[in-house]
Amino acid sequence: MTQEEDIAAEAAAETHGPTHSGFVALIGPTNAGKSTLVNRLVGAKVSIVSHKVQTTRAIVRGIAIHDNAQIVFMDTPGIFKPRRRLDRAMVTSAWGGAKDADLIMLLIDSERGLRGDAEAILEGLKEVQQPKILVLNKIDRVNREDLLALAAAANEKIAFERTFMISAENGSGCDDVMDYLASTLPEGPWYYPEDQISDLPMRQLAAEITREKLFLRLHQELPYSSHVETEKWEERKDGSVRIEQVIYVERDSQKKIALGKGGETIKAISTAARKELSEILEQPVHLFLFVKVRENWGDDPERFREMGLEFPK
């Protein structure tokens, strides 16, 4: 047993009664609110959120403790019809995460219903053997009759174990989901120490935070052909940390957009990312951002490995 497993076992032993643990794959169409829900259920930010679809690119694991259970949420990329190599890698990652989980949670945007990608996902789930629950999100925006009709239509296609109606944004119904998962996951030791909330390395989480601020600032102007990597991480004697990151884009025109007039845009992105990183790390952060052009980075296997994705042939 590793030292990490020892710590997890000791933490679990301090709880009352048998412990439960397991992996829950959260899948659904793009922009259904998966990352918002994972952050809500974990109680801390482990996955970035933006209004831009397909923000999550690789599987992010958020770890929550509820009663005697350790629930490992796998926030998967939104499933959609892929067009590019990156799209194919993201969709493959999402379905792979579903097949590796103990339980699958399908999240549907109640406003959009089963239109488009949701219908295709339901068809794909018929081939997956794990138990499944249905979670209808954004219920505060839809009347009760439409919600009941949507739940009935989805359950006609898939034999869901349970159906939940929630709002990931305000937390309504989320306690019911956690109660169910804690009582349903298999009995066994915890996988992670009690105080660990994610398996994402801090360097990678820092890059994701900056990518979120990039998307939020340049929602319309900058396409998906951007990627952030943390190149240097230096803990300094004064208790602060110096972080250097590179934003990769594919063309000079995109570099100009990211920099902004007189460097105004990149400065705003850096300020927002530095503020959030300081709060997460609980120490002063000196963040330095550089923008580089790397043509066709979306065809570079090394970039896919940095994102935690398999490079599709």
Side-chain angles (χ1 to χ4, degrees), residues 12-13 15-21 68-69 186-190:
T15 63
H16 301 289
T19 57
H20 295 253
S21 60
N68 288 349
E187 187 175 320
W190 292 352

Side-chain angles (χ1 to χ4, degrees), residues 202-207 209-210 228-236 240-246 270 273-274 276-278 281 283-290:
M202 190 51 68
R203 291 170 67 104
Q204 192 174 339
L205 177 60
I209 294 295
T210 300
V228 181
E229 291 182 16
T230 301
E231 294 208 330
K232 290 185 180 179
W233 186 291
E234 179 190 354
E235 297 285 348
R236 306 178 70 174
S240 66
V241 58
R242 175 189 171 94
I243 303 171
E244 294 184 14
Q245 295 177 332
V246 176
S270 178
R274 183 175 65 249
E276 184 158 332
L277 285 169
S278 295
L281 296 171
Q283 64 186 124
V285 171
H286 307 283
L287 178 63
F288 299 87
L289 299 183
F290 306 91

Side-chain angles (χ1 to χ4, degrees), residues 9-301:
E10 287 174 11
E14 292 175 1
T15 63
H16 301 289
T19 57
H20 295 253
S21 60
F23 290 82
V24 177
L26 188 54
I27 70 169
T30 58
N31 255 10
K34 294 185 298 299
S35 296
T36 300
L37 180 56
V38 166
N39 291 340
R40 165 74 62 179
L41 297 180
V42 171
K45 186 165 187 171
V46 294
S47 191
I48 68 170
V49 179
S50 85
H51 297 300
K52 209 172 180 67
V53 298
Q54 301 144 33
T55 300
T56 301
R57 287 177 172 170
I59 292 177
V60 177
R61 292 179 179 85
I63 305 158
I65 306 295
H66 190 77
D67 295 335
N68 288 349
Q70 185 177 74
I71 307 164
V72 185
F73 292 100
M74 304 162 68
D75 181 14
T76 64
I79 297 175
F80 57 101
K81 187 175 181 180
R83 294 184 297 273
R84 306 163 299 169
R85 191 189 296 272
L86 178 58
D87 295 343
R88 296 202 306 275
M90 289 161 61
V91 171
T92 298
S93 174
W95 281 117
K99 292 173 182 176
D100 289 340
D102 294 293
L103 184 145
I104 296 170
M105 183 190 302
L106 172 62
L107 189 67
I108 296 293
D109 181 335
S110 297
E111 285 188 297
R112 289 189 307 203
L114 301 184
R115 295 190 298 272
D117 294 325
E119 190 81 47
I121 293 169
L122 283 167
E123 286 299 313
L125 279 176
K126 293 178 180 178
E127 307 300 320
V128 181
Q129 300 302 312
Q130 283 89 337
K132 310 163 189 70
I133 63 173
L134 173 66
V135 179
L136 302 181
N137 191 24
K138 307 179 184 179
I139 60 169
D140 49 324
R141 306 180 189 180
V142 181
N143 66 55
R144 181 174 174 77
E145 290 73 19
D146 289 341
L147 282 172
L148 293 174
L150 174 57
N155 277 274
E156 281 180 10
K157 297 177 181 295
I158 294 286
F160 290 104
E161 305 288 329
R162 287 281 298 272
T163 297
F164 296 90
M165 300 184 183
I166 68 148
S167 169
E169 192 167 317
N170 66 32
S172 174
C174 290
D175 285 344
D176 293 336
V177 175
M178 293 296 281
D179 289 341
Y180 176 80
L181 295 175
S183 64
T184 303
L185 289 176
E187 187 175 320
W190 292 352
Y191 292 98
Y192 299 94
E194 186 174 8
D195 60 351
Q196 187 170 339
I197 60 171
S198 174
D199 71 344
L200 200 65
M202 190 51 68
R203 291 170 67 104
Q204 192 174 339
L205 177 60
E208 287 289 275
I209 294 295
T210 300
R211 187 164 68 90
E212 177 189 62
K213 306 312 176 192
L214 181 72
F215 276 3
L216 290 174
R217 177 80 183 192
L218 299 171
H219 177 53
Q220 301 295 336
E221 296 93 329
L222 197 66
Y224 288 101
S225 45
S226 58
H227 172 56
V228 181
E229 291 182 16
T230 301
E231 294 208 330
K232 290 185 180 179
W233 186 291
E234 179 190 354
E235 297 285 348
R236 306 178 70 174
K237 292 180 180 179
D238 62 1
S240 66
V241 58
R242 175 189 171 94
I243 303 171
E244 294 184 14
Q245 295 177 332
V246 176
I247 299 171
Y248 289 106
V249 295
E250 290 190 319
R251 295 188 295 276
D252 280 322
S253 59
Q254 295 169 0
K255 180 176 180 179
K256 291 176 181 177
I257 292 171
L259 291 173
K261 186 176 180 181
E264 180 182 280
T265 301
I266 196 69
K267 183 178 180 181
I269 293 167
S270 178
T271 299
R274 183 175 65 249
K275 181 176 183 296
E276 184 158 332
L277 285 169
S278 295
E279 292 171 357
I280 291 173
L281 296 171
E282 298 181 339
Q283 64 186 124
V285 171
H286 307 283
L287 178 63
F288 299 87
L289 299 183
F290 306 91
V291 184
K292 295 183 180 180
V293 177
R294 176 171 281 165
E295 294 183 6
N296 301 318
W297 71 260
D299 295 321
D300 181 357

